Amino acid sequence: QVIEYFFVRAQNYYFLEELKSIDMNNVLITMKLRKILANYKKVTNEREALKLVLKRAIDIPKFKTWINSNSEHFDIYCRSQGYKIDLSKEDKKIISNIVERVYGYRCSIAHAKGDVEEYIAIPNISRKIIAAEIPLVKYLAYEVIKNCSEI
């Protein structure tokens, strides 16, 4: 939820950056504005909003250093069977890997709810796997708060 707090802010920054690309003296403003609005609509879903926030917040060289500084982190996040983060890829792809990992686990937990009044939520993944994600989520949340907050 810490990271989700910044979704709307990141979407708004994206929109404003897109608007800056319009030459107001150009006759084709309406066409460009339509394109910008269409692109903005694409980034309003949760997964794309998460990507916008992480693009803004995560310094990839620093993230690589954090992962590589702990062999357990590297094994869990880069050698896992499921949502592998491939540090050899370009920055944009690394962000996409992180987004898929975080969003995938988030959905596994958040959508494990039942439709009964009293229930016990049982995620589709084990407690051990969820616990292993905590250092990554803490790291990301800290970087998001630090780099996306306006003081």
Side-chain angles (χ1 to χ4, degrees):
Q1 286 183 329
V2 169
I3 296 172
E4 285 182 21
Y5 172 82
F6 293 95
F7 282 8
V8 173
R9 184 177 294 171
Q11 291 164 338
N12 290 340
Y13 282 132
Y14 174 84
F15 184 67
L16 292 173
E17 287 298 317
E18 290 288 306
L19 281 179
K20 286 180 186 176
S21 69
I22 294 178
D23 177 6
M24 292 302 191
N25 297 320
N26 192 329
V27 180
L28 300 174
I29 291 174
T30 305
M31 296 284 287
K32 288 191 178 217
L33 189 53
R34 282 186 184 157
K35 183 179 177 186
I36 288 170
L37 290 171
N39 288 339
Y40 179 73
K41 186 177 179 185
K42 290 177 189 174
V43 299
T44 56
N45 70 59
E46 285 183 335
R47 183 177 278 140
E48 291 302 314
L50 176 59
K51 189 181 289 184
L52 284 176
V53 170
L54 294 183
K55 276 185 195 176
R56 238 181 142 68
I58 305 305
D59 176 289
I60 295 298
K62 186 177 170 185
F63 177 75
K64 287 179 179 180
T65 300
W66 179 79
I67 291 273
N68 288 317
S69 70
N70 183 318
S71 62
E72 189 176 341
H73 288 169
F74 187 84
D75 289 342
I76 292 168
Y77 308 130
C78 301
R79 291 187 176 146
S80 61
Q81 294 295 329
Y83 303 104
K84 182 192 260 186
I85 300 171
D86 187 347
L87 298 179
S88 69
K89 300 293 184 185
E90 62 184 32
D91 292 3
K92 188 176 179 180
K93 184 64 177 171
I94 293 171
I95 291 291
S96 292
N97 289 163
I98 297 168
V99 166
E100 291 308 310
R101 184 177 196 96
V102 170
Y103 193 74
Y105 286 128
R106 175 238 177 248
C107 288
S108 178
I109 294 166
H111 298 294
K113 301 173 188 166
D115 289 331
V116 294
E117 194 171 302
E118 292 182 31
Y119 64 89
I120 298 174
I122 302 172
N124 299 332
I125 53 178
S126 74
R127 179 183 213 115
K128 183 179 177 185
I129 292 172
I130 293 170
E133 296 303 309
I134 292 172
L136 176 63
V137 173
K138 279 183 169 179
Y139 176 87
L140 297 173
Y142 175 80
E143 293 298 319
V144 167
I145 291 169
K146 184 175 83 173
N147 295 313
C148 294
S149 296
E150 295 177 4
I151 300 174

